[in-house]
């Protein structure tokens, strides 16, 4: 490792040791949902105050101006420290890089610092009742009005909507233009009349995601992200982040806690250590896969190839891990595995189902006929 | 946290050269036509100095890192040319006596499943056997019983087992696993090409999601298997676990390659079985290595 990276790592370890909330490390699975949200929101703010938010984002917007390599390094250390996942993950992982790639200067200075500091939380308004895997079929309609748009429609599976201040909202702006050219990305204020949020009860019993009903809500002209009609291409930028390296590292952090439970206790009890060790090998490969991708950033084809397999790889592994946890019938961690098992059923559905991901690998990476 | 994933120049150069050399020897020829023949003479490898790529610079070697050798072994694995290249390369990396030998070198790896304790890849063609790494001892390769399961490995079983150090065992595990990942890359490419070409129900079979998803899963495995051998090369503490995983993943790819090729995949002449056999034997060899 380079001397600067070594210094970065030792500084990060020391900070994590002092700042990861004990209550999270020790009692994570027995906390009620409100407290989980609170701890996760506080974690975003603590990261920002400590200078650990937005490691790979530019300094001028409150980031650290480092690279994906430091994201991976920090992720590895945060994983070992069993740090929580910040509640602002949509803003941090999806909105921020998209604003940097496609946003205006005004949008960047208006939103980025508030995302990183845990001042404003975001949700992602993509899926609709009849537009799931077929995302281009969104129907929520944004009509041009003086100074901006009036939006009406319904979104579903919107994670974090209940506590969100802002929404990355994909709307149809043209009823006559052809598919893929009729959409526009909007930065919508969730705290306004005309927005109703109904939590959806998930199979785990929790309600992290919701239905969002939008009735004549307003979005100002300057809150359009990209040009009118470019929404599909902006959405692809968002999805690349959602299925890419930074996201995988953040999942690695969460999964590392689970593998440590298995290896330290539950798998031992179930006499299934070799299997758990294989899970650990696969989990470490998530991190190494991102590291390999970094070395290929200059070669678009190789980079896409390396990152394109991540989502399928970590999501399917996580499900196998939680099933082992459940099967172990560990008396100490039973509550945790009950919840984690059910929660992890979502991993192969959200952010592009495994079926869609395999189509993408087949069509775009392997070049198979459609 | 650990060292760089970027190979040095010798690794990149040697891997390219090996790929060229194999292409010249067998490019365009079906594997079934050369797996049991001698398409690449030892003298060609030796003349290029490729067997010394991993040896110390002071002894005329290329001083390649283990990460560099992963690249070389992957390139080699793509064609499974039946020549004692990787065994010689590794023996000459560890042993002065091996470097002084004329001709290829191999070693005997423990394998409890045979009637004799030592399993020798290229035992029928390599005249020298590295008997002990620590004592730097080379002996004439004992005449063994041919073990024909994987023709591309020309193996025998013999009455001795080479004394490899744990360090050598770890490096060899990485290099053989890397070779298997090279096989997997090649099999994936062959399967993708076949799925584009082969038509049923008036459509290329690769357009059916059932086949497409099999190929995509092969891609996931091939990508992560490559990552596993890179990781194994860099972090010595994880060599065996990462190599074992890469070998398993490569075998999974090979099995699915047979499936994607349908009935053709099950024929001798299509030759996929040579890769399947090659990978299974590499797995057995790696399991016999000291840790």
């Amino acid at each position: 490792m380079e001397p600067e990276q070594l210094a970065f790592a030792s500084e990060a370890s020391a900070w994590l040791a002092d700042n990861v909330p004990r209550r999270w490390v020790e009692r994570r699975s027995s906390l009620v949902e409100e407290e989980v949200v609170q701890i996760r929101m506080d974690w975003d703010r603590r990261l920002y105050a400590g200078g650990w938010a937005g490691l790979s984002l530019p300094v001028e917007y409150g980031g650290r101006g480092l690279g994906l390599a430091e994201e991976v390094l920090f992720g590895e250390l945060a994983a070992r420290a069993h740090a929580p996942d910040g509640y602002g993950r949509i803003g941090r992982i999806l909105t921020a890089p998209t604003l940097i790639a496609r946003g205006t200067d005004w949008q960047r200075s208006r939103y980025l610092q508030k995302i990183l500091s845990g001042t404003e939380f975001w949700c992602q308004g993509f899926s609709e009742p009849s537009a799931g895997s077929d995302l281009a079929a969104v129907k929520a309609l944004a009509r041009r009005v003086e100074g901006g748009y009036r939006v009406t429609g319904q979104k579903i599976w919107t994670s974090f909507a209940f506590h969100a201040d802002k929404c990355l909202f994909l709307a149809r702006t043209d009823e006559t233009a052809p598919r893929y050219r009729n959409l526009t990305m909007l930065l919508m204020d969730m705290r306004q009349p005309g927005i109703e949020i109904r939590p959806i009860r998930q199979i785990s019993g929790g309600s992290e995601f919701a239905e969002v009903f939008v009735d004549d809500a307003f979005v100002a002209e300057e809150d359009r992200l990209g040009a009118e009609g470019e929404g599909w291409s902006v959405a692809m930028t968002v999805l690349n982040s959602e299925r890419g390296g930074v996201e995988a590292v953040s999942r690695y952090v969460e999964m590392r806690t689970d593998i440590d439970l298995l290896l330290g206790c539950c798998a031992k009890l179930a006499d299934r250590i070799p299997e758990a060790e294989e899970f650990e090998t696969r989990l470490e490969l998530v991190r190494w896969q991102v590291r390999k991708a970094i070395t290929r950033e200059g070669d678009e084809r190789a980079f896409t190839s390396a990152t394109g397999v991540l989502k399928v790889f970590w999501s399917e592994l996580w499900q196998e891990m939680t099933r082992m946890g459940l099967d172990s019938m560990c008396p100490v961690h039973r509550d945790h595995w009950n919840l984690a098992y059910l929660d992890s059923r979502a991993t192969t559905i959200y952010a592009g189902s495994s079926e869609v991901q395999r189509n993408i690998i087949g069509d775009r990476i392997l070049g198979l006929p459609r | 946290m650990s060292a760089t994933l970027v190979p040095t120049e010798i690794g990149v150069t040697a891997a390219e050269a090996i790929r060229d050399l194999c292409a010249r020897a067998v490019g365009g020829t079906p594997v079934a036509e050369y797996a049991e023949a001698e398409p690449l003479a030892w003298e060609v490898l030796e003349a290029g100095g490729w067997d010394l790529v991993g040896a110390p610079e002071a002894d005329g070697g290329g001083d390649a890192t283990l990460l560099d050798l992963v690249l070389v072994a992957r390139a080699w694995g793509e064609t499974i040319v039946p020549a004692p290249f990787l065994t010689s390369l590794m023996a000459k990396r560890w042993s002065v006596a091996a470097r002084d030998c004329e001709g290829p070198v191999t070693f005997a790896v423990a394998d409890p499943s045979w009637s004799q304790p030592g399993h020798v890849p290229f035992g029928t063609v390599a005249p020298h056997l590295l008997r002990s790494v620590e004592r730097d001892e080379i002996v004439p390769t004992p005449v063994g019983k041919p073990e024909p399961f994987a023709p591309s490995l020309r193996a025998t079983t013999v009455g001795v087992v080479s004394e490899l150090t744990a360090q050598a065992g770890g490096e060899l595990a990485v290099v053989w696993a890397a070779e298997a990942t090279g096989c997997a890359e090649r099999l994936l490419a062959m399967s993708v090409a076949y799925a584009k070409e082969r038509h049923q129900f008036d459509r290329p079979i690769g357009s059916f999601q059932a086949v497409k998803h099999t190929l995509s899963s092969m891609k996931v495995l091939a990508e992560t298997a490559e990552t596993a051998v890179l990781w194994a090369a860099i972090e010595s503490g994880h060599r065996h676990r990462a190599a074992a995983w890469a070998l398993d993943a490569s075998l999974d790819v090979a099995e699915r390659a047979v499936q994607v090729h349908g009935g053709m995949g099950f024929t001798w002449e299509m030759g996929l079985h040579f890769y399947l056999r090659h990978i299974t034997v590499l797995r057995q060899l790696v399991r016999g290595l000291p840790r």
Side-chain angles (χ1 to χ4, degrees), chain A residues 18-277:
Chain A
D18 289 344
N19 284 276
V20 172
R22 291 247 59 84
R23 203 165 154 71
W24 178 261
V25 176
E26 285 155 15
R27 308 197 43 89
R28 184 174 69 130
S29 355
S30 52
L31 302 175
V32 296
E33 201 164 331
E34 291 77 53
E35 192 178 359
V36 169
V37 170
Q38 203 48 55
I39 288 177
R40 292 179 62 185
M41 284 183 165
D42 287 346
W43 184 243
D44 281 312
R45 292 165 188 149
R46 242 189 242 207
L47 283 172
Y48 183 73
W52 302 102
L55 293 175
S56 58
L57 298 184
V59 178
E60 54 192 301
Y61 302 116
R64 276 284 285 269
L66 303 168
L68 190 48
E70 283 78 11
E71 296 270 8
V72 178
L73 197 49
F74 190 77
E76 183 185 349
L77 298 167
R80 281 195 207 156
H82 292 182
D85 182 32
Y87 196 78
R89 67 187 336 278
I90 302 283
R92 193 164 22 95
I93 301 173
L94 305 187
T95 313
T98 310
L99 287 178
I100 285 166
R102 312 290 294 260
T104 62
D105 285 341
W106 181 85
Q107 290 166 346
R108 292 179 193 144
S109 40
R110 165 63 185 80
Y111 294 116
L112 285 172
Q113 191 267 345
K114 288 192 158 59
I115 287 172
L116 296 182
S117 58
T119 312
E120 283 180 350
F121 291 94
W122 284 69
C123 62
Q124 178 189 12
F126 279 27
S127 296
E128 293 181 7
S130 56
S133 289
D134 183 11
L135 184 59
V138 298
K139 285 193 192 132
L141 194 65
R143 282 179 300 109
R144 272 251 176 219
V145 293
E146 169 109 34
Y149 299 86
R150 284 279 165 189
V151 185
T152 297
Q154 185 193 345
K155 294 291 174 182
I156 196 166
W157 322 128
T158 314
S159 298
F160 314 108
F162 211 67
H163 298 281
D165 304 289
K166 302 284 166 189
C167 179
L168 203 51
F169 196 99
L170 186 60
R172 189 177 287 206
T173 36
D174 190 331
E175 294 197 85
T176 54
R179 196 174 152 87
Y180 303 116
R181 272 183 264 161
N182 53 358
L183 305 174
T184 301
M185 191 68 74
L186 303 171
L187 308 173
M188 182 185 277
D189 189 359
M190 294 289 281
R191 314 276 187 201
Q192 63 169 309
I195 292 190
E196 190 196 337
I197 300 160
R198 292 187 205 151
I200 298 172
R201 194 164 187 210
Q202 301 162 196
I203 63 170
S204 55
S207 298
E208 199 174 63
F209 59 40
E211 285 179 289
V212 177
F213 295 88
V214 182
D215 181 17
D216 212 31
F218 182 71
V219 176
E221 176 85 36
E222 61 261 34
D223 278 328
R224 186 186 64 227
L225 180 51
E228 204 172 286
E230 268 183 20
W232 180 254
S233 126
V234 178
M236 289 302 106
T237 306
V238 175
L239 292 182
N240 277 339
S241 302
E242 192 170 18
R243 298 160 181 173
V246 177
E247 167 70 9
V249 169
S250 107
R251 297 305 183 183
Y252 167 83
V253 176
E254 293 183 79
M255 291 167 75
R256 188 68 237 186
T257 310
D258 277 352
I259 204 74
D260 288 344
L261 284 188
L262 287 177
L263 287 169
C265 167
C266 319
K268 216 175 276 175
L269 202 75
D271 202 17
R272 288 170 70 181
I273 284 287
E275 241 179 292
E277 281 174 347

Side-chain angles (χ1 to χ4, degrees), chain B residues 84-282:
Chain B
F85 171 52
L86 293 178
T87 54
S88 302
L89 176 77
M90 296 313 281
K92 292 180 186 214
R93 177 176 175 80
W94 309 315
S95 151
V96 179
R99 295 198 274 279
D100 290 342
C101 284
E102 252 181 56
V105 185
T106 187
F107 26 77
V109 175
D111 189 333
S113 63
W114 306 120
S115 54
Q116 302 195 88
H119 192 174
V120 188
F122 303 100
T124 64
V125 290
H128 313 288
L129 185 120
L130 179 59
R131 183 73 183 78
S132 163
V133 171
E134 242 164 58
R135 295 195 309 277
D136 198 15
E137 184 187 353
I138 293 280
V139 297
T141 304
V143 176
K145 183 169 162 279
E147 180 29 66
F149 181 72
S152 52
L153 282 166
R154 305 285 199 277
T156 58
T157 58
V158 298
V160 295
V161 172
S162 296
E163 292 161 27
L164 302 175
T165 57
Q167 158 84 8
E171 291 199 355
L172 199 49
V174 174
V175 164
W176 273 336
E179 185 184 9
T181 67
C183 299
E185 284 298 342
R186 177 88 185 108
L187 290 166
L188 172 60
M190 285 165 72
S191 304
V192 167
Y194 186 80
K196 286 181 184 173
E197 205 173 88
R198 167 79 176 162
H199 280 63
Q200 285 289 274
F201 307 100
D202 297 322
R203 289 167 62 181
I205 61 167
S207 69
F208 293 108
Q209 282 193 337
V211 177
K212 184 176 286 183
H213 288 190
T214 298
L215 291 162
S216 299
S217 297
M218 289 164 70
K219 175 66 182 171
V220 176
L221 288 164
E223 265 289 335
T224 48
E226 181 202 26
T227 303
V229 289
L230 297 174
W231 171 30
I234 295 177
E235 290 199 337
S236 57
H238 297 286
R239 266 176 200 160
H240 285 278
R241 64 142 55 165
W245 195 83
L247 283 157
D248 285 351
S250 299
L251 186 61
D252 286 341
V253 170
E255 289 171 358
R256 291 175 206 200
V258 172
Q259 178 70 23
V260 168
H261 281 77
M264 282 306 292
F266 194 65
T267 63
W268 185 274
E269 62 161 329
M270 187 73 186
L272 297 180
H273 65 104
F274 288 108
Y275 282 94
L276 201 55
R277 292 159 183 267
H278 197 95
I279 298 170
T280 57
V281 173
L282 289 179

Side-chain angles (χ1 to χ4, degrees), chain B residues 24-67:
Chain B
R24 254 179 283 138
V26 302
T29 314
V31 61
E33 277 176 36
Y34 66 76
E36 295 169 286
E38 199 195 323
L40 180 62
W42 168 253
E43 288 69 28
V44 178
L45 289 161
E46 198 181 34
W50 301 118
D51 56 329
L52 288 171
V53 161
E57 205 167 4
D59 281 12
D63 226 5
T65 63
L66 188 55
L67 188 71

Side-chain angles (χ1 to χ4, degrees), chain A residues 73 76 280-282 284-285 288-289 291-292 296 305-306 313 355 358-359 362-363 366-370, chain B residues 1-3 5 192 196 204 207 209 212-213 215-217 219 223 226-228 230-231 235 241 245:
Chain A
L73 197 49
E76 183 185 349
E280 190 195 25
T281 302
R282 285 161 64 191
E284 288 303 309
L285 284 172
W288 284 93
Q289 185 70 23
R291 290 195 59 188
K292 180 175 84 173
R296 294 174 186 183
S305 216
F313 192 71
E355 289 75 14
R358 284 192 166 82
N359 280 348
D363 295 343
L366 299 177
L368 291 166
R370 282 165 199 259
Chain B
M1 282 176 282
S2 47
L5 270 169
V192 167
K196 286 181 184 173
S207 69
Q209 282 193 337
K212 184 176 286 183
H213 288 190
L215 291 162
S216 299
S217 297
K219 175 66 182 171
E223 265 289 335
E226 181 202 26
T227 303
L230 297 174
W231 171 30
E235 290 199 337
R241 64 142 55 165
W245 195 83

